[in-house]
Amino acid sequence: MIVSLLSARTWKAHSFAYPLRTFKRQLGHLDIHIAFHYRLTAKLFEADVVCIDSEVCNKRRGNPFPYDRSEVTARARERSSVLLWFDTADHTGGTAFQLLDDLDLYCKSQLFQDRKLHLESWYADRIFSQHYHQEAGVEEAGAPPTREPADPSQLHKLAVSWNLGLADYTTFSASGRRWRVLTGRSGYEDRVQASAGPRELDMALRFRTRYGLATVSHHRTETDRRIRAFAEETDRTISPDGKLPYRQYRRELGRAKVVPSPFGSGEICYRDFECFLSGATLVKPDMSHIETWPHFYEHDVTYARHRWDFEDLEDVLDGLLDDPSRARAIAEAGQERFLQARSPVGGERFAERFEALVRRARDNAAGTSETRASA
């Protein structure tokens, strides 16, 4: 079976497609062969199944002339018997459900556990932005973005694809990224640091607090403020303010016991997986509202969660730092699950999942699908 993917030469598109390249052999065992395309030409449709990465519709370096979403899906629908859209937007509420009529399957790296939440619109397109708007009175400057909710009759077309845990973490330098994008590199060459051993820094607290959305900035600023106050009151050590070159930043994570990782543009952040690679204990706001794959976010197993209103944040941090054995167990479990997902065995699971997505799309295209549990 030939599967065409319309992609872009950007880092985000490269990261999304990375497991498709890396697990080529496992996909081949299931008779799935991926053909990568970067232009909407006739060759794209010389396939059994067509997939579109939403990144082709975003203007970035490497993709200076983005396609219009509605135009690209309408044109693809005319030529494709089976059509899948892969939404790689960071936040769960960042959707393009107006395209659903033209699609056989709408895949996203994370969806709401309760699919009915996709029938609603959210303040600034984010459920956590709505929380800070309602509970803390944070207002966006001007009219906040809003997305069209899904139609109830289309919910069966929604499916979970895969998240940033399967992305490329080899380099984050601009030149290194560009080289890997242009050469289509693959393979997980992870630099892993074991969680055992001395870690002199209690918390690595180095993340951006200013975002284009006031609600996101509030969430990150409040996280930073509360943790710094907690560190001062309890005499805990934290990283200083300021930005570091990426290699130094990664070394700092490797010296930390705990790495808080607040929401950013979306719930899932690169920092989560940098934490796993560094062998530290991940602390995040409660992630139980989303379904994602691989399943990296299991409370008190692979990460420690805190409430969105921060009321228990200090207690969560104190509990981990006062119980190093528990913190280390969470760090080890998180790292093990992360590395397993990127292993050859993880590749077999990825291939099976991709095959299941294609099967669902084919069923929908044939008009024989039933409402199923999410892939």
Side-chain angles (χ1 to χ4, degrees):
M1 175 172 56
I2 303 299
V3 177
S4 284
L5 172 65
L6 180 60
S7 185
R9 295 193 186 279
T10 69
W11 182 252
K12 191 167 190 178
H14 167 77
S15 293
F16 164 74
Y18 204 64
L20 292 171
R21 296 183 187 278
T22 299
F23 297 135
K24 178 181 178 180
R25 179 176 60 83
Q26 289 88 339
L27 288 164
H29 289 163
L30 299 179
D31 194 30
I32 298 173
H33 308 280
I34 310 295
F36 294 89
H37 299 269
Y38 300 93
R39 292 287 183 271
L40 188 63
T41 63
K43 278 193 169 293
L44 176 71
F45 305 107
E46 296 174 2
D48 303 290
V49 175
V50 173
C51 302
I52 301 175
D53 177 355
S54 65
E55 181 71 354
V56 302
C57 301
N58 294 325
K59 187 173 183 178
R60 305 183 196 273
R61 181 184 178 187
N63 193 43
F65 304 107
Y67 291 106
D68 175 80
R69 285 187 181 89
S70 298
E71 180 184 354
V72 74
T73 52
R75 288 175 62 185
R77 178 75 285 170
E78 292 174 0
R79 304 284 300 275
S80 311
S81 57
V82 182
L83 181 60
L84 294 84
W85 177 268
F86 285 89
D87 181 342
T88 56
D90 295 332
H91 47 301
T92 311
T95 53
F97 290 151
Q98 71 274 17
L99 307 177
L100 278 167
D101 284 342
D102 283 331
L103 304 172
D104 297 311
L105 202 65
Y106 187 107
C107 307
K108 190 169 174 62
S109 59
Q110 74 274 354
L111 292 171
F112 289 125
Q113 285 277 8
D114 181 357
R115 296 291 193 267
K116 291 181 180 178
L117 293 178
H118 286 293
L119 304 178
E120 303 179 33
S121 294
W122 302 97
Y123 187 79
D125 285 341
R126 292 158 174 81
I127 192 171
F128 58 91
S129 286
Q130 182 154 317
H131 171 83
Y132 296 115
H133 172 63
Q134 291 179 338
E135 302 300 324
V138 182
E139 297 279 350
E140 299 296 343
T146 55
R147 305 288 179 111
E148 181 179 326
D151 184 281
S153 65
Q154 301 276 32
L155 286 180
H156 69 283
K157 289 187 178 181
L158 305 187
V160 174
S161 54
W162 56 91
N163 58 44
L164 287 172
L166 298 181
D168 182 1
Y169 290 91
T170 306
T171 179
F172 269 69
S173 71
S175 59
R177 280 183 167 195
R178 194 70 191 138
W179 181 77
R180 293 185 73 81
V181 167
L182 292 175
T183 57
R185 301 292 293 180
S186 64
Y188 293 117
E189 305 159 15
D190 296 322
R191 297 170 185 160
V192 182
Q193 184 167 343
S195 56
R199 289 176 176 259
E200 66 273 21
L201 187 64
D202 288 323
M203 294 171 287
L205 191 67
R206 200 184 294 273
F207 50 77
R208 183 160 60 102
T209 56
R210 292 186 180 181
Y211 271 71
L213 291 172
T215 45
V216 177
S217 296
H218 169 82
H219 167 72
R220 289 203 146 206
T221 300
E222 191 66 7
T223 302
D224 183 83
R225 184 189 70 79
R226 286 184 178 248
I227 293 177
R228 291 193 184 280
F230 163 76
E232 186 174 349
E233 291 169 5
T234 58
D235 201 27
R236 306 287 190 181
T237 56
I238 58 173
S239 51
D241 283 327
K243 193 173 182 179
L244 287 177
Y246 186 69
R247 287 187 181 181
Q248 292 182 38
Y249 162 74
R250 283 287 300 274
R251 283 197 291 268
E252 182 176 86
L253 294 185
R255 296 190 296 111
K257 300 170 186 173
V258 170
V259 174
S261 183
F263 296 152
S265 294
E267 293 93 338
I268 298 173
C269 305
Y270 285 114
R271 183 179 176 86
D272 303 352
F273 308 109
E274 292 163 348
C275 173
F276 289 150
L277 283 169
S278 301
T281 305
L282 177 65
V283 174
K284 280 190 74 69
D286 187 359
M287 297 281 280
S288 61
H289 66 295
I290 67 169
E291 177 187 345
T292 188
W293 189 88
H295 181 41
F296 293 123
Y297 303 99
E298 187 175 352
H299 172 55
D300 262 352
V301 177
T302 59
Y303 89 112
R305 70 186 179 200
H306 65 82
R307 290 168 43 143
W308 291 9
D309 62 8
F310 309 104
E311 288 303 310
D312 63 346
L313 177 56
E314 292 86 351
D315 289 339
V316 170
L317 295 172
D318 216 23
L320 291 169
L321 294 171
D322 283 344
D323 190 348
S325 295
R326 173 173 165 256
R328 190 178 304 115
I330 293 173
E332 289 174 349
Q335 187 178 81
E336 181 181 1
R337 190 170 298 187
F338 175 71
L339 295 177
Q340 187 178 60
R342 296 160 72 86
S343 71
V345 172
E348 293 172 7
R349 293 172 183 162
F350 173 83
E352 290 167 358
R353 187 172 191 85
F354 188 79
E355 182 187 43
L357 292 173
V358 171
R359 191 185 317 120
R360 279 188 63 184
R362 281 182 147 176
D363 286 349
N364 288 344
T368 59
S369 66
E370 300 176 359
T371 302
R372 305 177 182 177
S374 183

